[in-house]
């Protein structure tokens, strides 16, 4: 065997020499292999498979799911893909030369309607330190194109939680954060999402179709997407939206529930987005994410300094114009810049108008006391309970002096007033005689809505009117005739007509025609005594601006009181706006209005 092996080698070598020889028989050297041409091993292919579930407000049926191999968050033509079944299940199989490829999962679908798009309202945001962050894209675009992304580490799960997580991680990497910080933020985000969605942290991203369709789930989706768009260009913290929502969770859901709207409708309505942004802004400031409100509609400290400086004043609201505009009555009132005079004008249709200019005399201060229903006694401003006012969002909270009756003043900030749709609509409604549209208004106006939650009864200290009654007069026997005799002695009994059934009193002039008519009404006072209201009867909506006389029955006396009724003073036809008088606009406005109504000023 040994000799045969040697022989075989020699024969093989001779054959190689013979095959490589030339015509020169003297060349007996051995040719070596070319060491510069390496041998290429056969190419290996690896099989890859992803099996998962795609859900978004229910199962995603018929969605295109791909392995995004180049990680551009899109499904390119050369990337493996599949179509989800009716339950949102999918399976992708492909081969590659890479054993463990890096890729994302992307799901694309046609949404039922374009209204599913989550967009933040267009706000003129008050940004102190703008960030380089841009607002994220909506999951469903206005064109109705839906896109969800996911990391493959969650066993093929594709849902809005995987979308949030991967979006944040990509942004962290784009900001070149160190791996340790990315890991920390990712862990925090996992914990926050588990709390917000009330899911088990161990299976957080495995969301079922049924769970994704629940109201509690979808409203969080809208809230996070909306808030993220609002704060993205203002707050650099990448998980600020989830932290802010965690801090405002219960209050926000109460507001959504109270609105009676869906989450999508809620976050698409200006009045509700302002309420939500006030919650978010307070939390963002408290968490140290920002120093300024996140929405320019929210009052800053400078705004509050202006507003409170105008409305907390012994002589009434300063630098403030109050307008009443209705079909049969128009009016305004304003104080001059020195708070020494007030100008008022009232026009009752048709063609009946009167203006007044009155001095605000400091020497004739009238001290009043008000009934405190809880303590069952009268209090002046000085000896009553002290309730410190508070500010919540755009609302100033206080109580009526001497009582516990809440008063709130809601402030709507109107920016760019001269081009504002709202303020232009007010100017269009204003009476032509006032020519308010010819003025250049301050850039920022603050509309005031005053709400008093209950009636408050007051009287002048030690100087209120009293009327003695006969001993037989009771709550039941106090008649319209008795009130007429007390209040209208000059007319009683010959020049007066009394209707006991309808509780009306008519005063007659010398020829017997009706000069004035009054309505008497009985009710219960804040002190739970009989309250008598006597109000002149006028035509149309002007009736609501009549100031009645009020009396309470106290033993055998009628005591004249003031009744400040529960109210919401600013409605569509009643507008009060205050403003910064730094440029002297109050005096300009006062003089302008004086010039327009001067011929009507009483006593001139």
């Amino acid at each position: 065997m040994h000799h045969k092996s040697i022989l075989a080698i020699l024969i093989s070598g001779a054959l190689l020499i013979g095959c490589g020889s030339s015509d020169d028989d003297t060349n007996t050297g051995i040719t070596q292999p070319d060491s510069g041409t390496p041998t290429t091993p056969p190419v290996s292919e690896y099989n890859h498979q992803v099996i998962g579930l795609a859900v978004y407000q229910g199962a995603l049926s018929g969605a295109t799911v791909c392995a995004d191999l180049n990680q551009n968050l899109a499904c390119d033509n050369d990337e493996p893909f599949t179509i989800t079944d009716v339950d949102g299940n999918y399976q992708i199989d492909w081969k590659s030369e890479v054993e463990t490829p890096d890729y994302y999962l992307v799901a694309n679908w046609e949404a039922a309607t374009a209204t599913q798009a989550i967009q933040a309202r267009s706000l003129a945001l008050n940004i102190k330190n703008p960030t380089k962050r841009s607002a994220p894209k909506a999951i469903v675009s206005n064109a109705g194109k839906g896109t969800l992304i996911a990391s493959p580490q969650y066993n093929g799960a594709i849902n809005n939680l995987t979308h949030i997580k991967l979006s944040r991680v990509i942004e962290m990497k784009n900001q070149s954060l160190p791996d340790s910080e990315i890991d920390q933020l990712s862990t925090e985000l996992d914990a926050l999402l588990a709390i917000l969605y009330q899911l088990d942290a161990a299976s957080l991203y495995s969301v079922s179709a049924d769970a994704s369709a629940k109201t509690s789930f979808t409203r969080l989706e809208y809230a996070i997407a909306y808030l993220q768009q609002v704060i993205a260009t203002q707050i650099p913290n990448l998980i600020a939206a989830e932290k802010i929502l965690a801090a405002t969770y219960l209050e926000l859901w109460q507001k959504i529930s109270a609105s009676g709207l869906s989450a999508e409708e809620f976050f698409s309505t200006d009045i509700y987005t302002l309420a939500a942004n006030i919650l978010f802004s307070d939390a963002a400031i408290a968490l140290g994410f920002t120093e300024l409100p996140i929405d320019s509609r929210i009052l800053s400290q400078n705004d509050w300094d202006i507003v409170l400086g105008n409305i907390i004043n012994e002589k009434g609201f300063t630098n403030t114009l109050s307008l009443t505009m209705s079909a049969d009555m128009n009016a305004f009132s304003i104080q001059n810049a020195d708070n020494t005079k007030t100008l008022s004008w009232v026009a009752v249709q048709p063609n009946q108008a009167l203006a007044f200019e009155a001095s605000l005399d400091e020497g004739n201060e009238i001290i009043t006391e008000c009934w405190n229903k809880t303590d069952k006694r009268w209090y002046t401003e000085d000896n009553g309970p002290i309730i410190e006012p508070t500010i919540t969002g755009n609302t100033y909270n206080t109580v009526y002096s001497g009582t516990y009756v809440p008063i709130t003043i809601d402030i709507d900030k109107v920016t760019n007033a001269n081009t504002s749709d709202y303020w232009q609509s007010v100017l269009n409604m204003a009476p032509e005689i006032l020519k308010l549209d010819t003025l250049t208004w301050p850039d920022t106006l603050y509309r005031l809505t005053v709400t008093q939650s209950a009636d408050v009864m007051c009287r002048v200290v030690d100087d209120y009117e009293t009327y003695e009654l006969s001993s037989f007069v009771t709550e039941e026997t106090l008649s319209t005739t008795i009130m007429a005799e007390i209040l209208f002695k000059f007319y009683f009994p010959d020049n007066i007509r009394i209707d006991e059934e309808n509780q009306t009193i008519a005063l007659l002039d010398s020829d017997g025609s009706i000069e004035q008519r009054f309505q008497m009404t009985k009710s219960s006072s804040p002190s739970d005594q009989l309250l008598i209201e006597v109000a002149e009867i006028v035509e149309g909506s002007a009736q609501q601006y009549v100031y009645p006389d009020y009396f309470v029955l106290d033993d055998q006396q009628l005591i004249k009181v003031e009744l400040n009724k529960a109210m919401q003073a600013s409605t569509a036809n009643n507008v009060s706006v205050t403003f910064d008088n730094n440029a002297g606009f109050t005096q300009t406005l006062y003089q302008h209005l004086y010039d327009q109504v001067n011929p009507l000023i009483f006593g001139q």
Side-chain angles (χ1 to χ4, degrees), residues 89 196 234-235 376 379 386 399 422 431 517 525 538 569 577:
N89 297 303
L196 287 169
Q234 303 184 75
I235 298 176
K376 299 187 182 304
Y379 282 126
I386 298 175
V399 296
Y422 163 72
R517 295 178 66 240
S525 73
V538 297
V577 290

Side-chain angles (χ1 to χ4, degrees), residues 48 98 134 136 206 278 312 381 398 459 520 523 552 556 564 578:
H48 307 289
V98 181
S134 58
S206 298
I278 288 172
I312 301 178
E381 181 178 358
T398 186
R459 66 187 184 187
M520 188 183 88
S523 61
V552 290
Q556 296 311 119
N564 301 293
T578 193

Side-chain angles (χ1 to χ4, degrees), residues 154-155 157 159 161-162 190 194 197-208 211 217:
Y154 301 118
N155 299 317
N159 50 65
L161 267 72
T162 66
D190 292 344
Y197 284 92
Q198 299 181 7
L199 297 172
D200 184 356
S203 58
L204 175 61
Y205 296 98
S206 298
V207 178
S208 69
F217 201 94

Side-chain angles (χ1 to χ4, degrees), residues 102-240:
D102 289 327
Y103 62 94
Y104 299 144
L105 293 170
V106 177
N108 294 315
W109 75 97
E110 295 289 333
T113 62
T115 57
Q116 291 179 358
I118 304 172
Q119 298 287 345
R121 304 296 294 168
S122 177
L123 304 172
L125 297 172
N126 193 359
I127 303 172
K128 181 177 181 181
N129 295 310
T131 73
K132 294 181 180 179
R133 298 180 64 198
S134 58
K137 293 181 180 179
I139 290 176
V140 180
S141 71
N142 284 331
K145 304 290 185 181
T147 300
L148 284 172
I149 61 176
S151 167
Q153 71 185 92
Y154 301 118
N155 299 317
I158 305 175
N159 50 65
N160 72 301
L161 267 72
T162 66
H163 187 90
I164 292 170
K165 179 62 179 290
L166 182 55
S167 297
R168 301 289 194 278
V169 170
I170 290 173
E171 194 170 6
M172 294 174 196
K173 291 180 178 178
N174 289 340
Q175 291 190 8
S176 301
L177 298 182
D179 291 343
S180 59
E181 187 172 351
I182 292 176
D183 291 342
Q184 178 185 343
L185 288 171
S186 295
T187 301
E188 285 187 66
L189 180 60
D190 292 344
L192 287 166
L193 292 177
I195 292 170
L196 287 169
Y197 284 92
Q198 299 181 7
L199 297 172
D200 184 356
S203 58
L204 175 61
Y205 296 98
S206 298
V207 178
S208 69
D210 289 341
S212 73
K214 289 182 178 178
T215 301
S216 59
F217 201 94
T218 56
R219 70 185 180 188
L220 263 168
E221 171 198 350
Y222 283 113
I224 291 176
Y226 168 82
L227 179 55
Q228 182 69 3
Q229 292 207 31
V230 172
I231 68 173
T233 56
Q234 303 184 75
I235 298 176
N237 189 294
L238 296 176
I239 58 173

Side-chain angles (χ1 to χ4, degrees), residues 321 323 325 330-332 345 418 423-424 426-441 585 588-599:
L321 173 67
L323 285 168
M325 300 167 291
N330 292 291
F332 76 74
W345 169 80
N418 291 285
W423 191 241
Q424 290 304 311
V426 171
L427 298 180
N428 291 337
M429 290 175 59
E432 178 61 29
I433 186 178
L434 302 182
K435 299 180 181 178
L436 295 178
D437 57 351
T438 64
L439 293 165
T440 300
W441 292 83
F585 182 72
T588 299
L589 177 59
Y590 190 94
Q591 187 63 49
H592 171 87
L593 292 171
Y594 184 93
D595 292 342
Q596 309 316 309
V597 302
N598 181 28

Side-chain angles (χ1 to χ4, degrees), residues 402-422:
T403 75
Y404 297 108
V405 174
I407 291 179
T408 59
I409 303 177
D410 295 301
I411 296 96
D412 293 321
K413 185 179 177 183
V414 182
T415 56
N416 302 314
N418 291 285
T419 57
S420 161
D421 290 341
Y422 163 72

Side-chain angles (χ1 to χ4, degrees), residues 77 97 111 216 260 384 390 430 536 559:
N77 292 334
E97 300 174 8
S216 59
T390 60
E536 183 179 1
I559 299 176

